[in-house]
Amino acid sequence: MSMELDTVLQGVIRPPPESCEEESAKRLKSELDTNLHDVVERSCEEEEEEEEREKQVKPESDSYSSLFDREWESKPIEFLQNKYDHDPVPRVFGCARFVYMNPAWKQQELDIKHAVAEYRKIASNLSPFDAIDIPPLITRCPHNWPMPVDISENEDRLTELSKFAVAHYNSHSQDAKEYEFVNLIKATIKLFPSGTYFITFQAKAKEDVDPSNCPVTTFQAHIWNKKTADGRSPEVVNCSIKPIN
């Protein structure tokens, strides 16, 4: 049987044993409800390693359903229809003879399509610095949209990157003034390349005056905190004063 056709599609759930149906449903719901910002701490390599580990998991019980061994491939599609047409958990199975998607899977695909269209309509005119939350339903879709970062949970990293960016600005711009970091405003991240940040922060000119009277300037920095053999090495793609609209 063709290996290409045997490949499990994204989001596919192999049929679990009868005794594990409830657990499987809870696990899927948990995945869909995962907080979007958790991905900030995970690199692409870590996600790939986790997916590989999941593929290698073996059933621990001898009573594990023979469907795990793809016995369903030798049965008519009606076998899967009778078993999963009324299952609330989205499921899809594909082999050389047929592809079966239960109604829950089809509804999920329709809901994702509508969610993507609505998100694109709202976010189309936003810059990466002003990205909005991605609806939980479509967080696992293969899109590389920027996502807001929780500043309170990533303050140290974002502050360090902002200081690095303003130092880069001081050494590369034609501005007569030199600036120093004051505080964060907001930040977003893109998953690819891993560690791509869009940070909005405030800085003030290094002047020998009362700091309380020194006005702050808003900056926007696009930074790639790239992964290296020694850890992470930030690279400023661009850092500039935010235009006044």
Side-chain angles (χ1 to χ4, degrees):
M1 202 165 285
S2 170
M3 291 300 294
E4 288 79 11
L5 289 171
D6 288 347
T7 301
V8 180
L9 302 178
Q10 177 186 4
V12 115
I13 300 178
R14 288 177 180 269
E18 294 298 337
S19 60
C20 295
E21 287 291 333
E22 183 177 353
E23 179 182 351
S24 176
K26 291 180 179 179
R27 184 170 60 251
L28 177 64
K29 184 178 185 303
S30 176
E31 289 181 357
L32 293 175
D33 291 341
T34 298
N35 189 313
L36 176 62
H37 302 303
D38 289 346
V39 300
V40 173
E41 300 298 331
R42 301 174 60 193
S43 68
C44 305
E45 293 81 3
E46 290 171 336
E47 291 182 339
E48 292 172 354
E49 290 172 1
E50 181 176 327
E51 291 174 358
E52 189 61 30
R53 285 196 299 269
E54 290 176 351
K55 293 177 182 178
Q56 296 174 359
V57 171
K58 302 294 183 180
E60 298 180 357
S61 171
D62 292 336
S63 63
Y64 203 84
S65 172
S66 60
L67 288 177
F68 184 86
D69 299 323
R70 304 179 71 86
E71 183 181 341
W72 55 270
E73 291 184 356
S74 64
K75 298 180 180 295
I77 193 172
E78 288 77 16
F79 171 78
L80 294 174
Q81 292 172 340
N82 292 335
K83 188 173 182 63
Y84 295 113
D85 269 5
H86 299 290
D87 190 340
V89 179
R91 301 179 186 276
V92 58
F93 302 85
C95 65
R97 295 187 299 111
F98 61 78
V99 173
Y100 166 75
M101 296 175 283
N102 74 344
W105 175 275
K106 294 178 181 178
Q107 184 60 50
Q108 176 181 265
E109 292 296 290
L110 184 61
D111 292 343
I112 289 175
K113 181 179 179 180
H114 290 163
V116 168
E118 183 64 21
Y119 173 84
R120 284 177 168 164
K121 179 180 178 181
I122 297 173
S124 60
N125 296 321
L126 297 178
S127 78
F129 294 95
D130 302 316
I132 59 177
D133 286 319
I134 299 175
L137 184 62
I138 58 177
T139 56
R140 291 182 175 271
C141 293
H143 299 293
N144 193 29
W145 295 322
M147 304 170 290
V149 177
D150 189 333
I151 290 180
S152 63
E153 294 183 0
N154 299 274
E155 184 174 2
D156 291 345
R157 177 188 296 110
L158 295 173
T159 297
E160 180 182 352
L161 293 175
S162 298
K163 290 180 178 179
F164 184 85
V166 78
H168 179 276
Y169 176 86
N170 288 336
S171 61
H172 289 80
S173 76
Q174 301 299 318
D175 198 328
K177 298 179 181 179
E178 284 198 355
Y179 293 85
E180 58 185 3
F181 173 82
V182 175
N183 64 273
L184 296 166
I185 297 179
K186 59 183 176 180
T188 66
I189 188 173
K190 294 180 74 172
L191 297 183
F192 308 103
S194 175
T196 300
Y197 290 90
F198 299 87
I199 308 175
T200 303
F201 62 91
Q202 291 181 326
K204 64 181 180 65
K206 295 180 179 179
E207 299 176 350
D208 188 18
V209 296
D210 182 354
S212 63
N213 294 325
C214 185
V216 294
T217 301
T218 301
F219 281 78
Q220 291 181 323
H222 175 191
I223 307 172
W224 179 26
N225 194 25
K226 60 183 178 181
K227 190 172 183 178
T228 66
D230 299 324
R232 291 281 180 176
S233 176
E235 178 180 309
V236 177
V237 179
N238 181 61
C239 181
S240 61
I241 295 176
K242 180 181 180 181
I244 299 176
N245 297 330

